[in-house]
Amino acid sequence: MCRWLAYSGSPVLLEDLLYKPENSLVTQSRHARLGVEAINGDGFGVGWYATAAETPGVFLSTEPAWNNRNLRELSARIASGRVFAHVRASTGTAVQQTNCHPFRHGRWLWMHNGLIADFPLVRRELALRVDPSLYPEIEGSTDSEVLFYLALTFGLETDPPAAVARAVGCVEEAGENQGIVHPVQMTVATTDGETTWAFRYSSRGRSRSLFHSRDITTLQEQYPDNPTLHSLSAGTRLVVSEPLGDLHGAWREVPESSCVAISGGDEEIRVFEPLRSSRS
Amino acid sequence: MCRWLAYSGSPVLLEDLLYKPENSLVTQSRHARLGVEAINGDGFGVGWYATAAETPGVFLSTEPAWNNRNLRELSARIASGRVFAHVRASTGTAVQQTNCHPFRHGRWLWMHNGLIADFPLVRRELALRVDPSLYPEIEGSTDSEVLFYLALTFGLETDPPAAVARAVGCVEEAGENQGIVHPVQMTVATTDGETTWAFRYSSRGRSRSLFHSRDITTLQEQYPDNPTLHSLSAGTRLVVSEPLGDLHGAWREVPESSCVAISGGDEEIRVFEPLRSSRS
Amino acid sequence: MCRWLAYSGSPVLLEDLLYKPENSLVTQSRHARLGVEAINGDGFGVGWYATAAETPGVFLSTEPAWNNRNLRELSARIASGRVFAHVRASTGTAVQQTNCHPFRHGRWLWMHNGLIADFPLVRRELALRVDPSLYPEIEGSTDSEVLFYLALTFGLETDPPAAVARAVGCVEEAGENQGIVHPVQMTVATTDGETTWAFRYSSRGRSRSLFHSRDITTLQEQYPDNPTLHSLSAGTRLVVSEPLGDLHGAWREVPESSCVAISGGDEEIRVFEPLRSSRS
Amino acid sequence: MCRWLAYSGSPVLLEDLLYKPENSLVTQSRHARLGVEAINGDGFGVGWYATAAETPGVFLSTEPAWNNRNLRELSARIASGRVFAHVRASTGTAVQQTNCHPFRHGRWLWMHNGLIADFPLVRRELALRVDPSLYPEIEGSTDSEVLFYLALTFGLETDPPAAVARAVGCVEEAGENQGIVHPVQMTVATTDGETTWAFRYSSRGRSRSLFHSRDITTLQEQYPDNPTLHSLSAGTRLVVSEPLGDLHGAWREVPESSCVAISGGDEEIRVFEPLRSSRS
């Protein structure tokens, strides 16, 4: 329904992520290969950090990424070592900047591919679960933003995997209360500017695609003549909805129901399981 | 902070309301005379009825009214006997179509000039007071839309003045709970396609300006040579944030704390007083 | 590259043309079947006549048709007996309203699918061929608009087929002067509000697809139980880039290098051949 | 009609130029003090250089500057030592990105406040004077962009003051051929990334306002306790449509019919006089 990428590593120009790869995210905005919908033309967004300590910048637009001249201009001139980018295919909610990903709260970014099933049926119950001090910050009308504020409510800033587990558990409970069979479908990425966490999960166990790049050192050995690979630091990593190119061995699928944490060159994959409130 | 007009009477082209008067609403989008802010350039909206029985159409845009070519095209070709039009000056919320007035629910339209003071402080409490079946329809982030859904919750479709009184009472209670001194500032118009109700009220008793046109028959006698006036039916009425021109005797100020109901040629002005929940 | 439809006949709501058919134009904006490009998301436009005698209205937007709420609102409320509609896939020129089709001059509308090859190479020469009195009206940067103004220069308002033949001849000459092998690729529709002319032509003889609807009476006999068909007048006709549905026998391909003229129920197909200036 | 600023000196965040001054350019977009029109809400643009040697970036939008969230985000994160910024009030031409200033050609930027009188009457003649190799680059429909391409045609890249003099002379000749009394009204800024040239001129000798900042060293002595002034390098300069604040002695009016060249800390003011073709 959407496509996204999360980059961390050596500072690169945004255009190196968004335009230059063979199957770049901007290419995916017109012709996604793996999504249920090939077109992601209902807006886009980019979030980037100048330094990990600062509030990230966001550039959001309701226009298709493929024909946006400002995105091309900025991408050729903004470099960053931590980038979130997202192209949107609306599942019904309005096409407006406040519905574009990544969402931001303080130093945190959040983006989502998927949906909360029958969102109108659970929207109010979920909004009520959002911490009252956070509620007024909700600006848009998407399920994705509510999921972010639930995660913030449940402690995203202190223990991201646990907070997301509780947020997803909360959505599943609310959905089941309404008789919704498979309430959650998601790949999600979130970051505080230092670590990126990516989640792949769906209530029915058939989640949207998600891949992460392999250890760059291994690839550098495998492809000794590829200059692009050799210019990147050992800690460089990408998590993506679909591979940006066909380099053999470059991408590994993130398993169903798991969470990847990427920090510097370290990457840790753990099982992800929603936490119901009774267990929290 | 915004400017609006509510028209009912003989079918007219939208351009006769929006562009042709000396101090037309589109003129007011650049140079309002009576508002606290001369510029209303943060979007606009028009709602109109083909027949009273049908869902009204709405045309909403985030662009300034004064430079919007589509508005000019449509205004020259769409005629209606009941029109709501609004030019927006944001008090902080996002400039997006879902924040543009008039808002619509079924056959009802709603538009607002003013604000709920310190809206972020009361937004959640007010949203919780909205009927759960209506809550999912809220698409934007404005105080104005929440006020509309509160009025719908309190029976707008059966007794508009009472429902608005209860909605405003609800906002005043919520505001006072947060220590807000003057929670409500508003002129509001709402219609079901047959009757238009306009409200002028503020907690501190100093409301934004509001005027209604005088009885057309009197004006026709007063200005026997004015062809525009003579082409209008006896029941034609306008309610406006500020007069559209300087015709002597054409406009009467709507008194503080009052509600005007306009139905056909009948017009009734009543005192408007918020109703607190203890009294409802 | 683009998709369009030209309707004439019984007044219909725009939504009956743009949204309701199985393979409607709005559907084609996301998933065109026959085009070289499936996505036509770089803006859209609709032109319609209230009466044949009046200047047609145009509603143009740079957003994709599929997610535009104003288009949906207006389409459900504007009816017309002569409609032009177009969804755009830019071949490089800017996405802006002045590049959206249909273009208008007085009572005339014009829309185009295709391109003038290597347009930058011939743009100046073609602009100089436009009548000086018409030149200042050119507002956008497309090949399509220049082609329109060339046709107007060569007498579109008095003899449309001859004027288009001379305009196309002029483009072919200019292209050949620059060594361009196949200068013109086009399907074009133009109308004065009373007659619609549609052209299918390309310098290489492999033109974009074009279809016209068959005589409604024949279809009504063929499908005695189809109420949609029976509500249309005998003179109703559609010309389209691709069929709006799969009704057997409903559509006939417009032959290569030909012009269809549709006026009331009459429809005439003629050979179309560009006229070089030496022959004009 | 428009307002602009041209900055050169120590690298600063764009927000220090666009938002922070008391009478900043974004403030001027709503409430210009000296212009004939207080509102400059028909789009805006920013051009900036990473290094003098590179093509500058441009960020252009059709929305008012005052409510554009992307501008605020980017301004807080992009720093540059050479910035052009412009807020537009259209004199009739379309509100579209290709009509937003600054215009760019290679390493050159150009922006304009004012107008070519009766531009439709001379548009074609002026377009024909543009070098054929440059003509296809014209994307918009403004007088300002044509003036830029005339200046490029007449040698802007080698001798800017002479090229602008010839371009203006060309416009005056074309205007006089059409009986236009005062063809040119302008303040213009242009730069190659190393030197900025600003022009103040009008055919009738009553030009739009233009100011340049005084020598920073003098100001630093005059205001020993102002930290903002002391953080700027000696060579920092601003040229603006109107002063950004009320600091006594900070601004000097650029005289009528003159050109200012600013390069590093050097600033040279010369008489500006249009050159007719007979003299060129």
Side-chain angles (χ1 to χ4, degrees):
Chain A
M1 310 260 171
C2 304
R3 303 279 90 179
W4 57 253
L5 71 76
Y7 174 87
S8 53
S10 309
V12 292
L13 283 173
L14 301 188
E15 69 179 10
D16 290 331
L17 299 168
L18 300 181
Y19 290 93
K20 293 198 174 162
E22 176 198 341
N23 184 34
S24 73
L25 198 69
V26 171
T27 300
Q28 291 175 40
S29 72
R30 299 183 73 121
H31 299 293
R33 298 174 180 180
L34 303 179
V36 292
E37 167 60 74
I39 307 174
N40 297 282
D42 299 325
F44 68 85
V46 184
W48 74 99
Y49 292 80
T51 69
E54 284 169 32
T55 303
V58 290
F59 176 65
L60 307 173
S61 170
T62 59
E63 297 166 6
W66 70 73
N67 71 27
N68 193 282
R69 293 187 173 191
N70 284 324
L71 180 62
R72 196 173 277 275
E73 287 288 316
L74 296 166
S75 295
R77 285 165 188 88
I78 293 176
S80 172
R82 192 165 300 264
V83 179
F84 272 32
H86 186 276
V87 291
R88 184 171 182 239
S90 168
T91 54
T93 45
V95 176
Q96 56 193 24
Q97 281 187 26
T98 57
N99 285 350
C100 291
H101 311 219
F103 300 97
R104 177 179 63 190
H105 172 80
R107 283 171 49 204
W108 289 75
L109 292 178
W110 175 276
M111 59 188 172
H112 171 224
N113 170 26
L115 78 169
I116 295 178
D118 291 312
F119 181 55
L121 293 183
V122 295
R123 185 178 171 202
R124 183 175 185 273
E125 182 176 341
L126 297 179
L128 299 199
R129 299 294 297 273
V130 171
D131 189 275
S133 71
L134 292 169
Y135 182 93
E137 285 188 35
I138 299 176
E139 285 205 297
S141 56
T142 62
D143 48 0
S144 306
E145 189 187 23
V146 168
L147 192 59
F148 179 30
Y149 279 93
L150 286 172
L152 286 164
T153 296
F154 293 128
L156 182 70
E157 290 158 294
T158 51
D159 184 347
V164 174
R166 292 180 66 192
V168 172
C170 175
V171 174
E172 291 195 328
E173 281 177 330
E176 286 162 17
N177 291 344
Q178 298 289 336
I180 298 164
V181 183
H182 298 304
V184 174
Q185 172 62 262
M186 73 179 212
T187 66
V188 156
T190 189
T191 184
D192 62 353
E194 290 176 2
T195 302
T196 294
W197 292 266
F199 301 84
R200 185 180 182 211
Y201 177 76
S202 57
S203 306
R204 68 190 305 196
R206 290 197 211 159
S207 303
R208 298 273 184 278
S209 59
L210 193 65
F211 298 84
H212 67 104
S213 63
R214 286 187 62 163
D215 176 58
I216 292 286
T217 320
T218 313
L219 284 169
Q220 287 167 340
E221 285 165 14
Q222 193 178 340
Y223 299 93
D225 304 328
N226 184 318
T228 308
L229 290 174
H230 287 266
S231 68
L232 297 170
S233 70
T236 296
R237 290 289 184 282
L238 268 163
V239 189
V240 295
S241 296
E242 54 186 74
L244 305 187
D246 295 330
L247 204 58
H248 180 73
W251 304 97
R252 230 183 301 201
E253 192 169 17
V254 174
E256 272 284 347
S257 303
S258 59
C259 164
V260 191
I262 292 171
S263 179
D266 295 329
E267 137 195 324
E268 188 191 356
I269 302 198
R270 284 198 270 170
V271 166
F272 174 80
E273 198 179 348
L275 272 172
R276 302 303 174 94
S277 57
S278 50
R279 298 171 52 189
S280 65
Chain B
M1 313 272 172
C2 306
R3 304 275 89 180
W4 57 254
L5 72 76
Y7 174 86
S8 54
S10 312
V12 291
L13 283 174
L14 301 187
E15 68 179 10
D16 291 331
L17 299 169
L18 301 181
Y19 290 93
K20 292 200 175 161
E22 177 197 341
N23 183 35
S24 73
L25 198 69
V26 171
T27 300
Q28 292 175 41
S29 73
R30 298 182 75 122
H31 299 293
R33 298 174 181 179
L34 303 181
V36 292
E37 167 60 74
I39 308 174
N40 296 283
D42 299 325
F44 68 85
V46 184
W48 75 98
Y49 292 80
T51 68
E54 284 169 33
T55 303
V58 289
F59 176 67
L60 307 173
S61 170
T62 59
E63 297 166 5
W66 71 73
N67 71 27
N68 193 282
R69 292 186 175 192
N70 284 325
L71 180 62
R72 197 173 278 275
E73 286 289 315
L74 295 166
S75 294
R77 287 166 187 85
I78 294 177
S80 172
R82 192 166 300 264
V83 179
F84 271 33
H86 186 276
V87 291
R88 184 173 181 238
S90 168
T91 53
T93 44
V95 176
Q96 56 192 24
Q97 281 185 27
T98 57
N99 284 351
C100 292
H101 310 220
F103 301 97
R104 178 179 63 191
H105 172 79
R107 283 171 49 205
W108 288 77
L109 292 178
W110 175 276
M111 59 188 171
H112 172 223
N113 170 27
L115 78 169
I116 294 178
D118 290 311
F119 181 56
L121 293 182
V122 295
R123 186 178 169 203
R124 184 175 185 270
E125 181 175 342
L126 297 180
L128 299 198
R129 298 294 298 273
V130 170
D131 190 275
S133 71
L134 293 169
Y135 182 92
E137 286 187 35
I138 298 177
E139 284 205 298
S141 56
T142 61
D143 48 1
S144 306
E145 189 187 22
V146 168
L147 191 60
F148 179 30
Y149 278 93
L150 285 172
L152 286 163
T153 298
F154 293 128
L156 183 69
E157 291 160 292
T158 52
D159 184 348
V164 175
R166 291 180 65 192
V168 172
C170 175
V171 175
E172 290 196 329
E173 281 177 330
E176 286 161 16
N177 291 344
Q178 297 289 335
I180 298 164
V181 183
H182 299 303
V184 174
Q185 171 63 262
M186 74 179 212
T187 67
V188 156
T190 189
T191 183
D192 61 354
E194 290 176 1
T195 301
T196 293
W197 292 267
F199 301 84
R200 185 180 183 211
Y201 177 77
S202 57
S203 305
R204 70 189 305 197
R206 290 197 211 159
S207 304
R208 298 272 186 278
S209 59
L210 193 64
F211 297 83
H212 68 104
S213 62
R214 287 187 62 163
D215 175 58
I216 293 287
T217 319
T218 312
L219 284 170
Q220 287 168 338
E221 285 166 15
Q222 194 179 340
Y223 298 92
D225 303 329
N226 184 318
T228 309
L229 291 174
H230 287 267
S231 68
L232 297 171
S233 71
T236 295
R237 289 290 183 281
L238 268 163
V239 189
V240 294
S241 297
E242 53 187 75
L244 305 187
D246 294 330
L247 203 59
H248 181 72
W251 304 96
R252 231 183 299 200
E253 192 169 16
V254 175
E256 272 284 348
S257 302
S258 58
C259 163
V260 191
I262 292 171
S263 180
D266 296 329
E267 137 194 323
E268 188 191 357
I269 302 198
R270 283 199 269 171
V271 166
F272 174 81
E273 198 179 351
L275 271 172
R276 303 302 175 93
S277 56
S278 50
R279 298 171 52 189
S280 66
Chain C
M1 311 262 169
C2 304
R3 303 277 91 179
W4 56 254
L5 72 75
Y7 174 86
S8 54
S10 310
V12 292
L13 283 173
L14 300 187
E15 68 179 11
D16 291 332
L17 299 168
L18 301 181
Y19 290 93
K20 293 199 172 162
E22 177 198 342
N23 184 34
S24 73
L25 197 70
V26 171
T27 300
Q28 292 175 40
S29 72
R30 299 183 73 123
H31 300 292
R33 299 173 181 179
L34 303 181
V36 290
E37 167 60 76
I39 308 173
N40 297 283
D42 299 325
F44 68 86
V46 185
W48 75 98
Y49 292 79
T51 67
E54 284 168 32
T55 303
V58 291
F59 177 66
L60 308 173
S61 170
T62 59
E63 299 166 4
W66 69 74
N67 71 26
N68 193 282
R69 292 187 174 190
N70 285 324
L71 180 62
R72 196 173 279 275
E73 287 288 316
L74 296 167
S75 294
R77 285 165 188 88
I78 293 176
S80 172
R82 190 166 301 264
V83 179
F84 270 33
H86 185 276
V87 291
R88 184 170 182 239
S90 168
T91 53
T93 45
V95 177
Q96 56 192 25
Q97 281 187 27
T98 55
N99 284 350
C100 292
H101 313 218
F103 300 97
R104 177 180 62 191
H105 172 79
R107 283 171 48 204
W108 288 76
L109 293 177
W110 174 277
M111 58 189 172
H112 171 224
N113 169 27
L115 78 169
I116 295 177
D118 291 311
F119 181 54
L121 293 183
V122 295
R123 186 178 170 203
R124 183 174 184 273
E125 181 175 343
L126 296 180
L128 298 200
R129 300 293 298 270
V130 170
D131 190 276
S133 70
L134 293 168
Y135 183 93
E137 285 188 36
I138 299 177
E139 285 206 298
S141 55
T142 61
D143 48 359
S144 306
E145 189 187 21
V146 168
L147 192 58
F148 180 30
Y149 279 93
L150 285 172
L152 285 164
T153 297
F154 293 128
L156 183 69
E157 291 159 293
T158 51
D159 184 347
V164 175
R166 293 180 65 192
V168 173
C170 174
V171 175
E172 292 196 327
E173 281 177 329
E176 286 161 17
N177 291 343
Q178 297 289 336
I180 299 164
V181 183
H182 299 303
V184 174
Q185 173 60 264
M186 74 178 213
T187 67
V188 156
T190 189
T191 183
D192 61 354
E194 289 177 2
T195 301
T196 294
W197 292 266
F199 301 85
R200 186 180 183 213
Y201 177 76
S202 56
S203 306
R204 70 190 304 195
R206 291 197 209 158
S207 303
R208 300 271 184 280
S209 60
L210 193 65
F211 298 82
H212 68 103
S213 62
R214 286 186 61 163
D215 175 57
I216 291 288
T217 320
T218 312
L219 285 169
Q220 286 168 341
E221 285 165 15
Q222 193 179 343
Y223 300 93
D225 303 329
N226 184 317
T228 308
L229 289 174
H230 286 266
S231 69
L232 296 171
S233 69
T236 295
R237 289 290 183 283
L238 268 163
V239 189
V240 295
S241 296
E242 52 187 74
L244 305 186
D246 294 331
L247 203 58
H248 180 73
W251 304 97
R252 231 184 299 201
E253 192 170 15
V254 175
E256 272 284 347
S257 303
S258 58
C259 163
V260 191
I262 293 171
S263 179
D266 295 329
E267 142 193 321
E268 187 192 358
I269 303 197
R270 284 198 267 170
V271 167
F272 174 82
E273 197 180 350
L275 271 172
R276 301 304 174 92
S277 58
S278 51
R279 297 171 53 189
S280 66
Chain D
M1 309 259 171
C2 304
R3 302 277 90 179
W4 57 254
L5 71 76
Y7 174 87
S8 53
S10 310
V12 290
L13 283 173
L14 300 188
E15 69 179 9
D16 291 331
L17 299 169
L18 300 181
Y19 290 94
K20 293 198 173 162
E22 177 198 343
N23 183 36
S24 74
L25 198 69
V26 171
T27 300
Q28 291 174 41
S29 74
R30 299 183 74 121
H31 299 292
R33 297 174 182 179
L34 303 181
V36 292
E37 166 60 74
I39 308 173
N40 297 283
D42 299 325
F44 68 86
V46 185
W48 73 99
Y49 293 79
T51 68
E54 283 168 33
T55 303
V58 290
F59 176 66
L60 306 173
S61 170
T62 59
E63 297 166 5
W66 69 73
N67 70 27
N68 193 282
R69 292 185 176 194
N70 284 324
L71 180 62
R72 196 173 279 274
E73 286 290 315
L74 296 166
S75 295
R77 286 166 187 85
I78 294 177
S80 172
R82 193 168 298 266
V83 179
F84 271 32
H86 186 276
V87 291
R88 183 172 182 238
S90 168
T91 52
T93 45
V95 177
Q96 56 192 25
Q97 281 185 28
T98 55
N99 285 350
C100 291
H101 313 217
F103 300 97
R104 178 179 62 191
H105 173 79
R107 282 171 50 205
W108 288 76
L109 293 178
W110 174 276
M111 59 189 171
H112 172 223
N113 170 27
L115 79 168
I116 294 177
D118 291 310
F119 181 55
L121 293 184
V122 294
R123 186 178 170 202
R124 183 175 186 273
E125 182 175 342
L126 297 180
L128 298 199
R129 299 295 297 273
V130 171
D131 189 274
S133 71
L134 293 169
Y135 183 93
E137 286 189 35
I138 298 177
E139 285 206 299
S141 55
T142 61
D143 47 2
S144 307
E145 189 187 22
V146 169
L147 192 59
F148 180 30
Y149 279 93
L150 285 173
L152 286 163
T153 297
F154 293 127
L156 182 70
E157 292 158 293
T158 51
D159 183 349
V164 175
R166 291 180 66 191
V168 172
C170 174
V171 175
E172 290 196 328
E173 281 177 331
E176 286 162 18
N177 292 343
Q178 297 290 336
I180 299 165
V181 184
H182 299 303
V184 174
Q185 172 61 263
M186 75 179 211
T187 68
V188 155
T190 188
T191 183
D192 61 354
E194 291 177 1
T195 301
T196 294
W197 292 266
F199 301 84
R200 185 178 183 214
Y201 177 76
S202 57
S203 305
R204 69 189 305 195
R206 291 196 210 158
S207 302
R208 299 275 185 276
S209 59
L210 193 65
F211 297 83
H212 68 105
S213 63
R214 287 186 61 162
D215 175 57
I216 293 286
T217 319
T218 313
L219 285 170
Q220 287 167 341
E221 286 166 15
Q222 192 179 345
Y223 298 93
D225 304 330
N226 185 318
T228 309
L229 291 174
H230 286 266
S231 68
L232 297 171
S233 70
T236 295
R237 290 290 183 283
L238 268 163
V239 188
V240 295
S241 297
E242 53 187 75
L244 304 186
D246 294 331
L247 204 58
H248 181 72
W251 304 96
R252 231 184 299 200
E253 193 168 15
V254 174
E256 273 284 348
S257 302
S258 58
C259 163
V260 191
I262 293 171
S263 179
D266 296 327
E267 142 194 320
E268 187 192 357
I269 302 198
R270 283 200 269 171
V271 166
F272 174 81
E273 198 179 349
L275 272 172
R276 302 304 174 92
S277 56
S278 49
R279 297 171 51 190
S280 66

